Each structure stands twice: as structure tokens, then as C-alpha cells.
Amino acid sequence: MHGTKVATRAGWKLVEELQVGDFVRTVDNGFRPVNRISEDCITVPHGETKAECMPVCVPSNAAYNGRPVWLMPEQGVVLDSTKLGHDPVTSPAREPIVSARLLGGVFQITPDVPATCFDVTTLFFDQDEVIFIEGGFRAFCPSGRFGIGHQSGGASYEVVTAEVAADLIYLTARRGDIGVLANSLGSLPAPVFDHPIVPVRPVRGARRAGRPGRPVMMI
């Protein structure tokens, strides 16, 4: 939803300010360029009560957000299953993705409508990606529209079925750990390097002071 900040190479930017070619911080693949952007104006009928038609509001400080964050009902949110414990029935083989609308009632997250009309932006990449958004949430951006049964081939996450999602969210509420939904490091504007930092090998013949395995010579 417009007004939501996204982590980019240039720091936090409002989603509506992003342009094709901008590099966005992803969870697994460093910074990746946005290759297509779709914008829509959403109208919610007055008196709408169906959860599948209503965005969800994450109130201030419910996660790592200093102000409310709004998620569209079918926005995919990645859960950290390692914080839920291992269960062969409810633990998917890959990082699970659930629809935001299913989070209603967990950590004060509630279905609501910010206005009768509001604008949203959808980001598309060359392949399925998970990006960091405001509050430390990990938002799923499929290469196509997010939908039931979508599979992110080869990635380390998957869209789980409604039944498994319900079980995972139940476990999330029972454990009471916001870290399942939001990553504290992902909420910080810390720089992420495109390439790993490798220690420089000293020039041949040169020795570093205090090199392990070498006795210290007292002169």
C-alpha cells in the first residue's frame, strides 16, 4: 500500500516512489532490480466485513515499526519457521509464505480499511523474490501475481496451503514471538554489500603482528 517503505540500495524509499531499474534489498539474492511496476486504485465498499477483502493493519510498535504498517489481504508474508520449532506436520521444507489476511488477531494485527479508496503498487522481479519492508516484515514478490498454489521454483520459500498456514499462525500466536513475522535486522537501514568481504592475504614474505602460531619476540 502507498506509504509503505521498502529497503533499497539508496536506503528506505516509499513504494510509490520506486521506478523500474531501482535496486531493492532481497532476503536471499542481495540487491535486485525491479523490472516491472503495476499501480492500482482499490475501492472497498462501505460496510465491508469479509477478511479476504480487507487489508490488515499492524499498529505502531507491534513489530519493529514506529508507525502503522498496512498489508494487502493477499500479500505474501514469510514466516521464520525455525522459531516455531520442528513439527513434521506443520513445518514446511522451505520458508513458509502465508497471506497477510490470515494474520488478523495475532500481535494486535487487525483487518481494517484505511479509506474507501487507496492506491497500491505491485513490484515484479525477474524471479520470485522476498524483500524487506517497513517493520522488518519479509514480503513475497512473485514474478507473477500471488495466488493460491503458486510455487517459487528453486527458492528457499513456498506458499503453503490454507490448512498449513492456519496451523503455523496458531503456533505463532501461541509462542508470542514477533520474530516469527518480522526480522529485527531487516528493519534497520544497515548497508548490505553486493559482494562478500574477503580478507586480503598479506604480501608474500610479510607477516602480520601477532600472527597465530608464531612466538612473540621480545626485543
Side-chain angles (χ1 to χ4, degrees), residues 22-105:
D22 284 351
F23 281 79
V24 172
R25 180 183 174 186
T26 69
V27 172
D28 298 310
N29 300 309
F31 290 96
R32 304 297 297 175
V34 178
N35 69 358
R36 185 163 65 90
I37 295 177
S38 173
E39 294 188 356
D40 299 285
C41 180
I42 306 299
T43 300
V44 180
H46 178 72
E48 180 62 72
T49 58
K50 295 180 180 179
E52 59 269 23
C53 300
M54 300 173 65
V56 295
C57 178
V58 183
S60 301
N61 302 314
Y64 303 103
N65 54 312
R67 60 176 189 158
V69 172
W70 289 87
L71 300 172
M72 292 300 292
E74 292 304 326
Q75 170 63 58
V77 177
V78 179
L79 305 183
D80 186 348
S81 58
T82 62
K83 296 182 180 296
L84 295 175
H86 178 70
D87 186 320
V89 176
T90 60
S91 296
R94 298 179 289 178
E95 286 293 287
I97 300 170
V98 301
S99 297
R101 61 181 173 80
L102 300 176
L103 299 175

Side-chain angles (χ1 to χ4, degrees), residues 79 84 102 106 164-176:
L79 305 183
L84 295 175
L102 300 176
V106 180
V164 172
D167 290 336
L168 290 171
I169 293 171
Y170 169 76
L171 291 175
T172 299
R174 189 174 67 179
R175 286 192 62 97

Side-chain angles (χ1 to χ4, degrees), residues 114-188:
T116 55
C117 295
F118 52 89
D119 296 318
V120 299
T121 291
T122 305
L123 305 178
F124 297 94
F125 299 85
D126 289 332
Q127 62 183 21
D128 294 351
E129 298 287 359
V130 173
I131 66 174
F132 287 106
I133 66 172
E134 193 170 0
F137 292 99
R138 299 182 294 170
F140 181 50
C141 294
S143 54
R145 291 284 184 178
F146 176 60
I148 298 176
H150 181 87
Q151 295 294 324
S152 49
S156 58
Y157 30 78
E158 67 174 321
V159 180
V160 297
T161 64
E163 292 78 11
V164 172
D167 290 336
L168 290 171
I169 293 171
Y170 169 76
L171 291 175
T172 299
R174 189 174 67 179
R175 286 192 62 97
D177 183 1
I178 190 62
V180 177
L181 297 180
N183 185 304
S184 59
L185 295 179
S187 66
L188 300 176

